[in-house]
Amino acid sequence: LAKTTQPISMDSYEGQEVNITCSHNNIATNDYITWYQQFPSQGPRFIIQGYKTKVTNEVASLFIPADRKSSTLSLPRVSLSDTAVYYCLVVQYSGAGSYQLTFGKGTKLSVIP
Amino acid sequence: DTGVSQNPRHKITKRGQNVTFRCDPISEHNRLYWYRQTLGQGPEFLTYFQNEAQLEKSRLLSDRFSAERPKGSFSTLEIQRTEQGDSAMYLCASSPRERNTEAFFGQGTRLTVV
């Protein structure tokens, strides 16, 4: 099982760019890197996924170096509504076209006015 | 809204009672997952269905827990003889065949055992 390590918490002021780094040293060749966001009393919500290099969507960017042993989620110009827990997952191939999603403890991001 | 639907949203039960939760996944999603989440922790995997077949079960799923997905559409999770340690948020997620690395979660059922 690929274990992930990310900071327990982070604080940021509104309007700043936030970078959350996750390490996953034993990631396997078929595994993907995925980030989810979770607000209190709600289920996690998919943010972004990548395999290598850089991926960008309307919400965030994901940077993955060549060795894939870490990844960085970048949130541009955060607002108060971005206060949430962010989970880094290594989505592991478990055979027969199936993937397993294993959550860690996540990073609690607090955006300050 | 065509997202994953879970019912009930909240359930309070006395210790020793049985409870059943229902999950309606997004239409045509063939994969369905159950997770459990306690305060301050990330979701923990419980079990997974591909269509009606239960393909994987976590060791967390004791013999008091049973899940079904009889027609490959909605799923139920039953907990028998509930214990206070079962108090948690129970999350259901589904994913489509063509994008099975991405899971769509419901809002969860919060269980409190008193």
Side-chain angles (χ1 to χ4, degrees):
Chain A
L1 211 63
K3 180 178 164 58
T4 59
T5 303
Q6 53 184 123
I8 294 173
S9 64
M10 292 181 71
D11 294 335
S12 175
Y13 287 103
E14 269 192 297
Q16 289 191 327
E17 177 183 78
V18 170
N19 296 309
I20 307 174
T21 297
C22 176
S23 65
H24 26 78
N25 290 320
N26 58 344
I27 189 169
T29 303
N30 291 327
D31 296 345
Y32 286 80
I33 298 153
T34 305
W35 287 78
Y36 282 78
Q37 175 193 55
Q38 187 176 29
F39 298 113
S41 299
Q42 293 190 25
R45 183 177 75 102
F46 173 89
I47 300 175
I48 197 166
Q49 181 178 97
Y51 185 78
K52 59 181 178 182
T53 63
K54 177 183 174 183
V55 180
T56 297
N57 62 21
E58 64 278 4
V59 176
S61 294
L62 179 60
F63 300 90
I64 306 169
D67 66 5
R68 304 201 327 126
K69 293 184 184 299
S70 67
S71 59
T72 299
L73 174 73
S74 181
L75 304 171
R77 298 178 299 283
V78 294
S79 64
L80 296 177
S81 62
D82 293 316
T83 293
V85 178
Y86 292 82
Y87 294 97
C88 165
L89 280 71
V90 170
V91 179
Q92 295 184 286
Y93 184 67
S94 55
S98 296
Y99 286 84
Q100 184 172 51
L101 283 69
T102 304
F103 288 80
K105 293 189 176 182
T107 297
K108 185 173 182 180
L109 173 66
S110 299
V111 179
I112 307 162
Chain B
D1 189 302
T2 57
V4 176
S5 175
Q6 291 189 247
N7 287 288
R9 291 291 313 279
H10 303 274
K11 178 72 176 178
I12 300 174
T13 191
K14 290 185 179 179
R15 191 174 50 185
Q17 298 293 305
N18 299 344
V19 294
T20 300
F21 310 139
R22 176 177 170 126
C23 171
D24 287 272
I26 294 172
S27 179
E28 298 181 358
H29 279 194
N30 65 327
R31 291 177 168 82
L32 186 147
Y33 309 82
W34 284 99
Y35 284 79
R36 180 174 70 186
Q37 185 174 26
T38 53
L39 199 62
Q41 303 295 314
E44 297 172 296
F45 171 78
L46 292 178
T47 190
Y48 151 67
F49 289 85
Q50 182 166 306
N51 300 313
E52 65 275 9
Q54 188 173 18
L55 296 186
E56 198 169 340
K57 288 195 290 187
S58 163
R59 284 172 293 179
L60 292 174
L61 213 65
S62 75
D63 56 5
R64 296 185 298 105
F65 288 69
S66 62
E68 294 182 342
R69 194 182 182 199
K71 297 181 180 178
S73 56
F74 74 92
S75 175
T76 57
L77 178 68
E78 181 183 17
I79 309 174
Q80 296 182 326
R81 305 181 302 281
T82 52
E83 302 172 357
Q84 286 189 320
D86 297 331
S87 295
M89 175 79 87
Y90 290 84
L91 294 161
C92 175
S94 67
S95 62
R97 186 188 315 272
E98 66 278 6
R99 228 170 48 244
N100 60 10
T101 57
E102 178 181 339
F104 295 79
F105 281 81
Q107 296 203 44
T109 295
R110 181 166 296 285
L111 172 67
T112 303
V113 182
V114 297

